[in-house]
Amino acid sequence: MGWIEFGLAMMLFMASHRIPSALGVKDSLIERLGSRGYTALFSIASTLLLLWVIWAAGRAPFVPLWDQTPAARWAVNLVMPVVIALSAFGIGAPNPFAFEGCSTGFDPDHPGIAGVTRQPLLWALALWSLAHLWANGDLAHVILFGTFAGFSLLGMKLVERRRARMMGHDWDRLSAQTALVPFAALFSGKWHPQNGPSLVRLAIAVIAWAAVFHLHEWVIGVMPNP
C-alpha cells in the first residue's frame, strides 16, 4: 500500500505541472485570477502536493541504499538558505523567462533576480532535491529526490527553449544581462547590479527559512540539525 500511495502522489504532482498548460486550464485561470493570483494558487497547490509526496515517501517500505553522513546533513543545512532565497526572490518577480515570474514590469537594464539566474525556482528545486538526495539514501527517497532533480534540470532547458521561441528576436535584447547558471552573468561582466536586493523579499526569505527549520521536525518528522 505504501508504494501505491507514493506512486500516486508522484504522478499527481508531475501531472499538476503539465496538464494545466496542455489543456488550457492555466490560461483560463490567469484570465480570471491574474498572473499573481494564478501564481499564488499554483504555489499553494504545489506545496500541498509536495508535502503529500514527501509524507508518502516516508510511509513507503524502507529499502536502504547508502547511510546518511554528517557531511550530508551539513550540506542540506548550508544549501537550504540558498534554496529559500531563490524561491523568495523568484516567485512573482518581474521575470519573463521563468514560469513563476511576472511577465510585466521587467526592465532588461535592471533584471533583478533574472540577473542572478533566469530560472530561480527551478534552481531552488534542483539544489533542494540534490542535497536531500545525498542525505536520504533509501529507495523511496532516492526515487523522490532523483526524480525532482531530473525534473528541474530538464525543465530549465524546456522552459528556456519555450520562452526563447515565444520572445523571438526580443530574446537577445531582454536576456542581455541575464544567464541561466547562477551568477554567470555577474562573473562574466554582462550584469552590473546597481541596486541591492528587495528588503521585503529578503525579510520573507529569512522568516521562511526560520519557519522551515523550526517546523521541519513537526511537519516532516526529522530534526534538520546537522
Side-chain angles (χ1 to χ4, degrees):
M1 188 63 183
W3 286 115
I4 294 175
E5 181 193 4
F6 176 55
L8 178 61
M10 285 288 292
M11 286 190 295
L12 287 177
F13 182 88
M14 294 301 174
S16 71
H17 288 73
R18 181 69 186 113
I19 292 177
S21 296
L23 298 181
V25 176
K26 177 179 178 180
D27 293 336
S28 177
L29 288 175
I30 290 176
E31 289 181 4
R32 296 184 179 184
L33 304 175
S35 59
R36 290 182 181 273
Y38 173 78
T39 299
L41 178 63
F42 183 79
S43 298
I44 293 171
S46 294
T47 300
L48 293 175
L49 283 172
L50 178 60
L51 287 173
W52 182 30
V53 170
I54 294 172
W55 291 331
R59 288 191 287 266
F62 184 79
V63 181
L65 298 178
W66 63 78
D67 295 329
Q68 187 180 89
T69 64
R73 291 183 70 93
W74 268 110
V76 174
N77 280 268
L78 292 174
V79 166
M80 283 308 297
V82 179
V83 168
I84 293 172
L86 286 170
S87 302
F89 281 93
I91 296 175
N95 180 5
F97 309 104
F99 67 88
E100 77 278 6
C102 182
S103 58
T104 59
F106 178 73
D107 181 358
D109 294 325
H110 303 88
I113 185 62
V116 178
T117 173
R118 291 191 293 265
Q119 304 298 333
L121 193 58
L122 286 174
W123 273 111
L125 181 59
L127 292 172
W128 170 78
S129 55
L130 289 171
H132 282 79
L133 175 63
W134 184 14
N136 294 272
D138 64 282
L139 180 58
H141 286 93
V142 167
I143 294 173
L144 167 64
F145 294 119
T147 300
F148 280 134
F151 172 80
S152 54
L153 293 172
L154 178 61
M156 292 182 199
K157 289 188 175 182
L158 296 177
V159 172
E160 292 268 299
R161 188 182 306 163
R162 185 182 303 120
R163 294 304 167 101
R165 185 169 60 250
M166 291 170 57
M167 294 178 186
H169 296 298
D170 288 335
W171 172 270
D172 291 336
R173 176 180 63 84
L174 294 174
S175 65
Q177 296 191 41
T178 70
L180 175 60
V181 178
F183 293 107
L186 177 65
F187 295 144
S188 67
K190 292 171 56 178
W191 177 44
H192 302 281
Q194 301 175 16
N195 301 312
S198 165
L199 295 181
V200 173
R201 288 183 179 268
L202 181 60
I204 291 173
V206 173
I207 294 171
W209 171 81
V212 169
F213 185 87
H214 290 288
L215 294 176
H216 195 280
E217 183 177 19
W218 180 65
V219 176
I220 305 300
V222 179
M223 188 64 186
N225 284 343

